[in-house]
Amino acid sequence: MYNMSRRPRRNRKSSAIRAMVQETNVSINDFIYPLFLIEGSDKKEEISSMPGIYRYSLDLMLREIKECVDFGIKGFCVFPSLGDDKKDKYATEGHNRNSLYIESLVKIKSQFPDIVLMTDIAMDPYSIDGHDGILENGEILNDETLEILGKMALAQAEAGVDILGPSDMMDGRVGYIRSVLDQAGYTQVSIMSYTAKYASAFYGPFREALDSAPKFGDKKTYQMNPANASEALIEADLDVKEGADMIMVKPALSYLDIIKSLKDNYDVPVVAYNVSGEYAMIKAAAEKGWLDGEKVMMESLLSIKRAGASIIITYFAKDAAKLLLEKQ
Ligand code: PBG
């Protein structure tokens, strides 16, 4: 018989051994669940390209959060979906204290003080141009945009948000937002920077959910070129120096190398945003019976953890939490 001293299959010979040597685990603690807010009451509209994901009016969103909290989900990221009548060139509604969004954040946090409530800072949901920064004569104005982002950050911090997520990709925004927060006494409000946010076609369903697609051009002058990896290190370096508590890679599945590279090079937690298009692909294939949706979901989440992410922002949070609970 052929004599092999190393037989890696020995560590795979039973389910008990496989469980013992498993290097990576997905846990409910890893998830942040994105939620979409709309006006009104008793409203729940399914997003057609994201089966199982809805836009909720506040009353139903509170019920949804309760259900998720009962499953053990601890983190939520709320995005507002606004009608065109609330949008303008300078995203004014984004820092209106009496807006549906800011008032809803206050209510969510007061009803669920123990959750980690996260928000997104960028102009696009409130911008008539659908861009993350001020658009003037076909150009995105970086430094002028920072002021608006700072105002949004302050309004959200005042509302009781735990983690602010600047997703705009303007230069210098983390440092600017940190200084605005600190000067106002919000030293305990965290910043999770969208550090390596790529100009990706995987955001399509999200833009449908918020009706926030750019009306002019694309986002390539601020979001990163999908071809670039070293550039993610430049962004990470700046964000960490400017005070980011956590750094994010987005999308996740086509960018696992970037997650790994940030994990290897920085000590702050790395976050992955498993974006709308990544959710839509799996759901669509599962609906057609072409893939086992649950297995592919868990394998995807596991791969994101294996690459080095500590936290996953994912539309699968609730489905995965249910599955993980059943397996306990
Ligand atoms: C807003 C923002 C986007 C996403 C999160 N925040 C869209 C974009 O930049 O166009 C995408 C999330 C997803 O696709 O799930 N700046």
Side-chain angles (χ1 to χ4, degrees), residues 100-172:
L100 168 74
Y101 186 51
I102 298 293
E103 288 185 346
S104 300
L105 294 172
V106 173
K107 288 194 185 124
I108 292 169
K109 194 62 197 176
S110 68
Q111 203 150 322
F112 301 99
D114 297 333
I115 64 169
V116 173
L117 183 59
M118 175 179 169
T119 48
D120 195 86
I121 300 182
M123 287 175 57
D124 57 341
Y126 321 92
S127 153
I128 201 70
D129 300 313
H131 273 286
D132 295 8
I134 302 172
L135 179 72
E136 213 84 76
N137 304 319
E139 291 209 0
I140 299 292
L141 307 182
N142 192 91
D143 299 16
E144 291 80 350
T145 297
L146 295 186
E147 278 176 45
I148 296 175
L149 301 176
K151 287 181 186 169
M152 289 174 65
L154 210 51
Q156 295 176 2
E158 275 174 36
V161 169
D162 300 287
I163 301 180
L164 303 178
S167 72
D168 54 283
M169 291 302 278
M170 295 302 118
D171 290 335

Side-chain angles (χ1 to χ4, degrees), residues 79 120 122 124 132 167 194 197 202-203 206-207 219 223 250 273 275-277 315:
F79 294 94
D120 195 86
D124 57 341
D132 295 8
S167 72
Y194 284 64
K197 177 173 183 180
F202 285 102
Y203 309 149
F206 176 96
R207 292 178 188 171
K219 298 191 174 187
Q223 297 181 350
K250 175 183 177 189
Y273 199 138
V275 298
S276 56
Y315 304 96

Side-chain angles (χ1 to χ4, degrees), residues 69 81 187 233 276:
V69 166
S81 171
T187 54
L233 296 173
S276 56

Side-chain angles (χ1 to χ4, degrees), residues 62-83:
L62 291 168
R63 275 214 328 236
E64 176 69 7
I65 294 175
K66 169 86 179 68
E67 210 180 304
C68 292
V69 166
D70 290 343
F71 284 131
I73 297 174
K74 295 172 179 62
F76 298 87
C77 183
V78 181
F79 294 94
S81 171
L82 275 65

